mmCIF file with all atom_site columns, all heavy atoms in Angstrom:
data_model
loop_
_atom_site.group_PDB
_atom_site.id
_atom_site.type_symbol
_atom_site.label_atom_id
_atom_site.label_alt_id
_atom_site.label_comp_id
_atom_site.label_asym_id
_atom_site.label_entity_id
_atom_site.label_seq_id
_atom_site.pdbx_PDB_ins_code
_atom_site.Cartn_x
_atom_site.Cartn_y
_atom_site.Cartn_z
_atom_site.occupancy
_atom_site.B_iso_or_equiv
_atom_site.pdbx_formal_charge
_atom_site.auth_seq_id
_atom_site.auth_comp_id
_atom_site.auth_asym_id
_atom_site.auth_atom_id
_atom_site.pdbx_PDB_model_num
ATOM 1  N N   . SER A 1 69  ? 274.448 191.846 33.514 1.00 96.00 ? 69  SER A N   1
ATOM 2  C CA  . SER A 1 69  ? 273.317 190.944 33.267 1.00 96.00 ? 69  SER A CA  1
ATOM 3  C C   . SER A 1 69  ? 273.800 189.655 32.588 1.00 96.00 ? 69  SER A C   1
ATOM 4  O O   . SER A 1 69  ? 273.276 188.575 32.851 1.00 96.00 ? 69  SER A O   1
ATOM 5  C CB  . SER A 1 69  ? 272.229 191.634 32.439 1.00 96.00 ? 69  SER A CB  1
ATOM 6  O OG  . SER A 1 69  ? 272.662 191.806 31.135 1.00 96.00 ? 69  SER A OG  1
ATOM 7  N N   . GLN A 1 103 ? 258.548 153.222 41.566 1.00 89.00 ? 103 GLN A N   1
ATOM 8  C CA  . GLN A 1 103 ? 259.277 154.073 40.627 1.00 89.00 ? 103 GLN A CA  1
ATOM 9  C C   . GLN A 1 103 ? 258.363 155.100 39.979 1.00 89.00 ? 103 GLN A C   1
ATOM 10 O O   . GLN A 1 103 ? 258.683 156.282 39.917 1.00 89.00 ? 103 GLN A O   1
ATOM 11 C CB  . GLN A 1 103 ? 259.896 153.223 39.511 1.00 89.00 ? 103 GLN A CB  1
ATOM 12 C CG  . GLN A 1 103 ? 261.226 152.630 39.857 1.00 89.00 ? 103 GLN A CG  1
ATOM 13 C CD  . GLN A 1 103 ? 261.936 152.116 38.615 1.00 89.00 ? 103 GLN A CD  1
ATOM 14 O OE1 . GLN A 1 103 ? 261.819 152.694 37.543 1.00 89.00 ? 103 GLN A OE1 1
ATOM 15 N NE2 . GLN A 1 103 ? 262.661 151.027 38.764 1.00 89.00 ? 103 GLN A NE2 1
ATOM 16 N N   . ILE A 1 121 ? 254.846 179.497 40.784 1.00 95.00 ? 121 ILE A N   1
ATOM 17 C CA  . ILE A 1 121 ? 255.998 179.042 41.566 1.00 95.00 ? 121 ILE A CA  1
ATOM 18 C C   . ILE A 1 121 ? 256.753 180.243 42.142 1.00 95.00 ? 121 ILE A C   1
ATOM 19 O O   . ILE A 1 121 ? 257.136 180.248 43.320 1.00 95.00 ? 121 ILE A O   1
ATOM 20 C CB  . ILE A 1 121 ? 256.958 178.208 40.674 1.00 95.00 ? 121 ILE A CB  1
ATOM 21 C CG1 . ILE A 1 121 ? 256.231 176.995 40.097 1.00 95.00 ? 121 ILE A CG1 1
ATOM 22 C CG2 . ILE A 1 121 ? 258.227 177.820 41.419 1.00 95.00 ? 121 ILE A CG2 1
ATOM 23 C CD1 . ILE A 1 121 ? 256.074 175.830 41.019 1.00 95.00 ? 121 ILE A CD1 1
ATOM 24 N N   . PRO A 1 170 ? 264.443 168.384 38.716 1.00 93.00 ? 170 PRO A N   1
ATOM 25 C CA  . PRO A 1 170 ? 263.637 168.469 37.495 1.00 93.00 ? 170 PRO A CA  1
ATOM 26 C C   . PRO A 1 170 ? 263.065 167.107 37.100 1.00 93.00 ? 170 PRO A C   1
ATOM 27 O O   . PRO A 1 170 ? 263.802 166.130 36.949 1.00 93.00 ? 170 PRO A O   1
ATOM 28 C CB  . PRO A 1 170 ? 264.638 168.954 36.446 1.00 93.00 ? 170 PRO A CB  1
ATOM 29 C CG  . PRO A 1 170 ? 265.949 168.483 36.938 1.00 93.00 ? 170 PRO A CG  1
ATOM 30 C CD  . PRO A 1 170 ? 265.876 168.479 38.435 1.00 93.00 ? 170 PRO A CD  1
#
Side-chain angles (χ1 to χ4, degrees):
Chain A
S69 71
Q103 275 195 35
I121 301 280

